[in-house]
Amino acid sequence: MAAPLSLHIPEPARRPGAAPDFSGLRLSAAGEVGRSDPQTAASDLRDLAFGLIRVLDDDGQAQGPWRPELGASALKAGLAAMVLTRAFDERMFRAQRQGKTSFYMKCTGEEAIACAAALALDPADMHFPTYRQQGLLIARGYSLVDMMNQIYSNAADPLLGRQLPIMYSAREAGFFSISGNLGTQMPQAVGWAMASACSGDTRIACGWIGDGATAEGDFHAALTFASVYRAPVILNIVNNQWAISSFTGVAGGETTPFAAKGLGYGIPALRVDGNDFLAVTAATQWAAERARANLGPTLIEFVTYRAAPHSTSDDPARYRPADEAALWPLGDPILRLKAHLFRSGLLTEQDFADLEAEALEQVRAAGRQAEAVGVLGKSRPSARTLFEDVFKAPDARLVRQRREHGV
Amino acid sequence: MPAMNMIQALNSALDVMLARDPKVLIFGQDVGYFGGVFRVTDGLQSKYGRTRCFDAPISENGLVGTAIGMGAYGLRPVVEIQFADYIYPAYDQLVSEAAKLRYRSAGQFSAPLTVRTPYGGGIFGGQTHSQSPESLFTHIAGLKTVIPSNPHDAKGLLIAAIEDDDPVLFLEPKRLYNGPFEGWRDRPSSPWAGHPMAETPMGHYSVPLGEAAVVQGGAAVTVLAYGTMVHVALAAAHHAGIDAEVIDLRTLVPLDLETITLSVKKTGRCVIVHEAPLTSGYGAELAALVQEHCFYHLEAPIRRVAGWDTPYPHALEWDYFPGPERIAEALRAVVEGEGV
């Protein structure tokens, strides 16, 4: 008689009330993982998908072969973008709590990933983001007022109040329209990159997805197409440990790192400390070099922690230990880059205080401007716009309906 | 003007567009070297090169997803889904992405892609090679749905679809690829040669989206049909000896409501025909529109003749198919008052 089978249902190490446990997290020391030439085939890069590429050590020193060459101004720009992103998040989270908008999503603890990726790529490269890459827009200098107008769905919203707050679209900033349907942007990023390649362009694309959504078919379709056509695309997985209340094991992260999924497709894959601004920069530069040299796609898993709730509608205390974020072994990305700049003599405490004050003032000023137009429900786009942009030109039916609605 | 079958006409449309517009490219399963399982892309790769016409992985969501990215970049991709029955993995990309992109980005991005796919039955294809999924797409704001019924229109409509700046679902009635099909299962099928609508110009022309065609004038009843059923409806009217006005809708979205209402107001009667299942089919929308716009001209209830609400069968294909006998019966009922 065969023994009866049993079904494995993944469950995280700790739930509320228990002490956090990150013993299952595979870590490498800063500088430990070797750097391979970007020409190397995926089959020879196994270690990069299973180790953890890190540059900044616990003392803020840059270690090892992945140290990027960044000057003082680039480092300060990165820190400023992260600080501004956090200040923006704090203000807009509060704005939602004050009833000024319906919804908001913070990226607290993940700022290094979007900010470093934005600064490591060319402004003309195209990002296909998820809803937690506001750092891309902020690092690229996009208008905070326009972001707020979008969040308030007011009369000055560039998207005419059509999208849920934070589902930005900013073509001029190389930021594709965000979809709430998870994973759909990944094959789109690959298609954009394919189009760039077959047009003889030099621009590359960058697709973004969370750890949970890698279970979507679109993620795997994207890897297949990227591999088949060697598309000049960087495919980023932001592994922030939590897909609302589901831990990474529910998406298949229990037995193998997400980065390792790339190897099965023949795509070079890097597993990177996502809270390390320098490591994110280096990995992105490495992938961009491959893409620009017609060597094809790279899959990057950025290991980070979603210190914030999933959204303003979420209460993480109901499904994870309350102090998990504080005990996250990869620390806080802003504090880590700040420590590095201190240590390098490029920043003083006063400089950092000034930076924070400046970010706060920028956000406040933008807030005053956006709120002068109006918060959600106090100001809205013209009702006539409801019927516009369904098609390039409205068909007879839409014209009839617009008249029926009296606008 | 040469006579073409529908495959040749579609091939000619793609040929013309590849030559005219460097932004046009074609990809899909088996469309490259081989030229497509129905031969619609035959010879295009060797003529225009691999980057203009190439094979794609068996991944419909990947196909449409990448095409949306290409469209956002500025190209005009033409995607082939080998059978409409296989389009469902791409449904999310079509419904949530392609159809909504212009709207949700307030015009910053658009997805000017054309998705070609053979649909419909009458070929002993069984459930997975015979479906007519048009109403799943006509319901979606932001998508256009086009269905030709003859070679001339197929070429002109496909060119119009590719030139259109919005996503277009282009459903090809595969039973009509090689000849007009009247729906008589036991009679030999005829080729397109000799049919007036097989006369197809070699060069560029378009048939505008949103214009129906009155393919046969008549006074007794208006028949609304598209794709394969246009020919079946004509045969049914002939069989029943009824002076029917047969309208080929050609595009379901945008719909040419004016041609429909003019005709129904004249005849006072309306029969709607489609091969897709009855319930929530496009015929329901047509019946509602005719009722709203022509109620006081109607002299009989509107009748729908459609596929049964069953999956498309293999052995019992001709029991499912709304053939000329069933349509003739509806025409008689509407005109003579029988069964009303």
Side-chain angles (χ1 to χ4, degrees):
Chain A
M1 282 288 284
L5 296 168
S6 65
L7 182 66
H8 172 67
I9 308 291
E11 183 58 23
R14 296 289 187 269
R15 287 294 193 183
D21 177 5
F22 291 110
S23 59
L25 189 71
R26 299 157 193 250
L27 297 174
S28 311
E32 182 185 333
V33 176
R35 186 180 189 277
S36 300
D37 185 275
Q39 307 268 350
T40 314
S43 54
D44 295 327
L45 292 171
R46 189 180 181 283
D47 291 351
L48 300 186
F50 286 86
L52 188 67
I53 295 169
R54 306 179 68 186
V55 175
L56 288 173
D57 66 15
D58 293 343
D59 299 323
Q61 296 220 63
Q63 304 284 0
W66 285 93
R67 270 178 304 175
E69 291 192 11
L70 286 180
S73 62
L75 290 168
K76 285 183 186 169
L79 187 67
M82 289 198 287
V83 166
L84 184 55
T85 301
R86 189 165 292 181
F88 185 86
D89 273 358
E90 291 306 324
R91 175 161 183 116
M92 298 323 290
F93 190 87
R94 246 189 357 266
Q96 192 275 341
R97 291 294 188 242
Q98 292 165 345
K100 293 175 180 171
T101 189
S102 55
F103 184 79
Y104 191 73
M105 299 177 104
K106 297 200 287 186
C107 66
T108 313
E110 305 175 34
E111 293 90 345
I113 301 169
C115 291
L119 297 170
L121 296 180
D122 287 347
D125 294 332
M126 188 73 187
H127 288 280
F128 288 75
T130 79
Y131 44 66
R132 225 180 290 279
Q133 273 80 54
Q134 53 265 54
L136 291 173
L137 284 174
I138 291 173
R140 282 185 164 190
Y142 185 73
S143 155
L144 301 184
V145 180
D146 282 344
M147 291 172 77
M148 290 180 180
N149 287 333
Q150 196 282 331
I151 292 164
Y152 291 149
S153 263
N154 64 22
D157 175 1
L159 306 185
L160 303 171
R162 289 172 181 159
Q163 281 271 56
L164 188 71
I166 67 91
M167 301 281 180
Y168 311 107
S169 177
R171 189 186 178 97
E172 73 275 22
F175 189 99
F176 191 71
S177 159
I178 296 175
S179 176
N181 292 44
L182 303 184
T184 50
Q185 70 283 359
M186 291 296 266
Q188 295 164 2
V190 174
W192 196 97
M194 289 169 68
S196 181
C198 75
S199 305
D201 200 339
T202 57
R203 293 176 292 165
I204 64 174
C206 185
W208 296 80
I209 196 167
D211 48 289
T214 61
E216 289 284 3
D218 275 346
F219 170 73
H220 300 273
L223 291 185
T224 299
F225 277 70
S227 169
V228 166
Y229 302 108
R230 296 184 197 170
V233 65
I234 305 171
L235 298 171
N236 287 336
I237 303 167
V238 179
N239 174 4
N240 66 11
Q241 312 303 318
W242 290 99
I244 304 188
S245 72
S246 301
F247 84 120
T248 52
V250 179
E254 209 170 26
T255 49
T256 189
F258 292 99
K261 292 173 192 284
L263 301 181
Y265 293 90
I267 297 176
L270 311 179
R271 186 165 172 270
V272 178
D273 178 348
N275 289 17
D276 178 342
F277 184 89
L278 298 186
V280 176
T281 299
T284 304
Q285 287 173 341
W286 189 88
E289 188 181 332
R290 283 180 40 77
R292 292 192 210 285
N294 264 322
L295 293 168
T298 304
L299 181 69
I300 307 179
E301 174 189 355
F302 292 114
V303 179
T304 185
Y305 187 84
R306 195 195 76 212
H310 168 69
S311 72
T312 45
S313 309
D314 179 42
D315 175 13
R318 298 182 61 167
Y319 53 78
R320 66 184 189 188
D323 50 349
E324 244 196 14
L327 296 171
W328 172 244
L330 299 177
D332 179 282
I334 293 178
L335 297 182
R336 285 177 69 191
L337 185 60
K338 177 189 163 196
H340 176 63
L341 286 167
F342 275 166
R343 208 181 166 92
S344 314
L346 298 171
L347 194 83
T348 63
E349 276 294 353
Q350 185 58 48
D351 292 338
F352 187 71
D354 290 347
L355 198 65
E356 284 193 310
E358 199 180 305
L360 201 61
E361 184 42 42
Q362 256 184 284
V363 169
R364 278 189 186 142
R368 281 192 294 270
Q369 254 184 280
E371 289 181 24
V373 180
V375 298
L376 182 67
K378 303 291 181 197
S379 158
R380 57 180 203 157
S382 142
R384 197 180 164 87
T385 61
L386 174 63
F387 299 93
E388 292 167 0
D389 298 322
V390 179
F391 299 108
K392 190 173 186 187
D395 60 20
R397 161 191 63 162
L398 286 164
V399 172
R400 272 200 309 278
Q401 291 174 13
R402 191 182 72 208
R403 285 194 193 122
E404 191 181 327
H405 191 52
V407 291
Chain B
M1 216 169 357
M4 295 187 193
N5 64 30
M6 195 182 282
I7 291 165
Q8 293 163 331
L10 292 165
N11 181 273
S12 176
L14 296 171
D15 191 354
V16 164
M17 290 311 294
L18 284 167
R20 274 172 77 93
D21 186 352
K23 294 186 183 310
V24 172
L25 82 170
I26 298 166
F27 66 123
Q29 292 146 25
D30 302 301
V31 305
Y33 181 86
F34 181 57
V37 295
F38 288 106
R39 320 301 309 144
V40 173
T41 57
D42 190 26
L44 297 177
Q45 186 181 77
S46 62
K47 188 168 176 182
Y48 295 98
R50 284 206 295 264
T51 57
R52 304 291 306 283
C53 178
F54 55 89
D55 290 335
I58 303 172
S59 169
E60 289 75 16
N61 50 328
L63 262 172
V64 174
T66 50
I68 291 167
M70 291 177 181
Y73 177 89
L75 301 186
R76 286 188 183 271
V78 182
V79 164
E80 177 177 309
I81 303 285
Q82 204 161 73
F83 286 86
D85 315 73
Y86 303 162
I87 205 166
Y88 308 117
Y91 200 58
D92 190 31
Q93 286 286 353
L94 284 166
V95 171
S96 311
E97 303 295 316
K100 307 299 195 300
L101 186 55
R102 181 187 294 283
Y103 194 78
R104 78 176 194 221
S105 70
Q108 289 176 8
F109 297 99
S110 60
L113 67 150
T114 302
V115 178
R116 291 182 38 244
T117 187
Y119 87 98
I123 60 149
F124 277 111
Q127 177 201 326
T128 56
H129 297 76
S130 304
Q131 293 172 58
S132 299
E134 66 273 12
S135 69
L136 298 177
F137 297 97
T138 56
H139 187 61
I140 304 306
L143 278 185
K144 297 183 179 179
T145 302
V146 178
I147 306 183
S149 73
N150 61 66
H152 174 275
D153 288 356
K155 178 173 174 180
L157 287 167
L158 182 54
I159 288 174
I162 297 169
E163 291 178 339
D164 196 274
D165 290 324
D166 289 301
V168 179
L169 180 70
F170 192 89
L171 291 162
E172 300 170 3
K174 60 174 115 48
R175 190 61 181 80
L176 300 184
Y177 271 155
N178 290 302
F181 177 64
E182 297 188 333
W184 302 109
R185 59 170 146 162
D186 299 330
R187 298 185 190 172
S189 50
S190 54
W192 277 110
H195 192 285
M197 295 308 281
E199 298 295 316
T200 305
M202 287 298 290
H204 176 275
Y205 68 94
S206 61
V207 172
L209 306 186
E211 289 187 13
V214 179
V215 294
Q216 174 180 289
V221 55
T222 297
V223 182
L224 304 180
Y226 46 88
T228 306
M229 302 320 281
V230 170
H231 302 272
V232 182
L234 287 167
H238 180 74
H239 178 67
I242 285 174
D243 182 24
E245 181 146 294
V246 178
I247 295 178
D248 176 0
L249 299 179
R250 300 200 289 196
T251 64
L252 308 190
V253 178
L255 180 70
D256 183 355
L257 184 60
E258 198 183 345
T259 297
I260 294 169
T261 52
L262 270 177
S263 176
V264 176
K265 284 177 181 174
K266 180 181 78 176
T267 63
R269 292 175 164 85
C270 183
V271 170
I272 298 161
V273 186
H274 57 64
E275 197 182 334
L278 180 76
T279 302
S280 300
Y282 195 63
E285 177 64 27
L286 292 171
L289 286 169
V290 169
Q291 189 277 135
E292 284 166 20
H293 293 270
C294 310
F295 182 77
Y296 293 106
H297 294 81
L298 287 174
E299 293 171 36
I302 302 161
R303 282 283 293 260
R304 288 179 290 161
V305 185
W308 306 122
D309 287 316
T310 68
Y312 209 107
H314 188 240
L316 300 178
E317 175 157 56
W318 300 111
D319 290 86
Y320 174 93
F321 191 86
E325 299 276 15
R326 273 169 62 194
I327 300 170
E329 194 185 315
L331 292 173
R332 284 193 207 102
V334 166
V335 171
E336 297 161 17
E338 291 168 19
V340 169

